[in-house]
Amino acid sequence: MFQVFCRSCGRKWTGRINGLCECGGLLDTSYDHTELKTTSARGMWKYRGHLPVAEDTSPVTLGEGATPLHLSKLADDATLYLKDESQNPTGSVKDRALSLAVTKAKELNIPKATLFSAGSTGLAAAAYAARADLDLTVFVGAATPAWRFLQMKVLGAHVAKVQSGTDELMNLLEEIANEHGVYQLTTCRRANPYQAEAPKTIAYEVVEQLGGAPDWFIAPIGGGGTLCGVWKGFKELQAFGRISKLPRILGVQVEGYDALAIAFQRGIRGEQELMAILEGTPEVDTCCTKLTHKFPHDSVELLEAVDESNGAVLSLTDRDALEAMRLVGRKDGLFIEPSSALAVAGFLRSKREGLIAPGATVVSLVTGSAFRELPLLGQFVELGDIETVAASKDALRAVLEL
């Protein structure tokens, strides 16, 4: 059994459709379990007893979860694993959160949902909303190219462009949702407290696959909610006696969208102080488009997780991300999006600078596939000249250096 409660006043809620208590506090979920419970289901729903859905609710699922853990060849004197969430149905980690969020919408008999997204969350939302016959509207920025929302349209979502930045529009949608009872599929706790529980299952799977907890868990930071959820999963596993230690958390942001890295270095932890860091900062172009949150909405919770784990938050560049993307492709055979590669770059930087010690076991989260980013990558990745040769044995032998 589970209970949704307010972190601030302790009030208990049933059927709340957003993540805020009437007192303004954030909602969270507690469970009465003392051990890890599993079912015979495959994937994320193997752990449905640790997710906030009623026992008689059928999951809205496309087969998310049970993603592979690849041993990387990039580690040298450490051990690096890549938790490959690009193998989820729509190619990203967001499938877990949206499967849970849409399942909860079905349980609560909610007919209409919305969110702002021009990337992974919108695509996942469209797929799971289609599966559940949920009326979905996805708002995207006015400059969003068609290739970013083509899949959402094919999957039946209503897509509308808005002249607004990410954070401003998310705030407007929150106000409208609260006024009119529209269900939000945005993956931050204040918008939807149920989806926030889904990333726990990544920690459950990692521990099963490794036979224990890693020394470090690394992930890129967009809104921050995925890494918060993973941290909660590790803490639950420790409480269940499944692991004896907790990993240290390393969050990686891209330059220009790195308020948390700045806050971490300066010892700033309050929301208002975090907002002050952003005052007057411009929007910047980046290949890590999934991380373009000026103010990560789960920032305070994330910094608490980093502090509790004795972890860190880094800021890296597009160049770091693209170099790591090429390295992972050439060494490990994985074509991962730049946002995911930024986490691998964070591992490489931390190892060089001594933050990650020799012999450490590290898991880096691959949040999505680069196959969905091909038009964007064409703007950032120089392929060089590709030679054209005659269709003759001599010409082919020359290319093959035979």
Side-chain angles (χ1 to χ4, degrees), residues 207 211-214 234-235 237-247:
V207 168
F234 282 122
K235 288 176 67 179
L237 291 171
Q238 185 184 51
F240 298 151
R242 288 297 186 102
I243 56 176
S244 58
K245 66 172 185 179
L246 291 168

Side-chain angles (χ1 to χ4, degrees), residues 134-213:
L134 180 65
D135 180 2
L136 174 66
T137 298
V138 182
F139 291 97
V140 300
T144 303
W147 64 267
R148 280 216 171 273
F149 55 80
L150 169 65
Q151 302 101 315
M152 303 177 205
K153 294 282 288 184
V154 170
L155 292 166
H158 177 211
V159 178
K161 291 185 175 183
V162 180
Q163 294 280 4
S164 175
T166 301
D167 300 310
E168 179 185 358
L169 186 51
M170 287 176 67
N171 291 334
L172 289 172
L173 283 180
E174 180 180 312
E175 292 176 13
I176 291 171
N178 293 339
E179 290 169 5
H180 299 281
V182 179
Y183 190 66
Q184 293 190 84
L185 294 178
T186 303
T187 52
C188 68
R189 183 178 294 281
R190 63 183 299 123
N192 188 308
Y194 307 109
Q195 60 75 31
E197 298 294 294
K200 297 190 309 186
T201 60
I202 296 171
Y204 296 166
E205 289 177 13
V206 165
V207 168
E208 286 195 4
Q209 290 165 320
L210 284 181

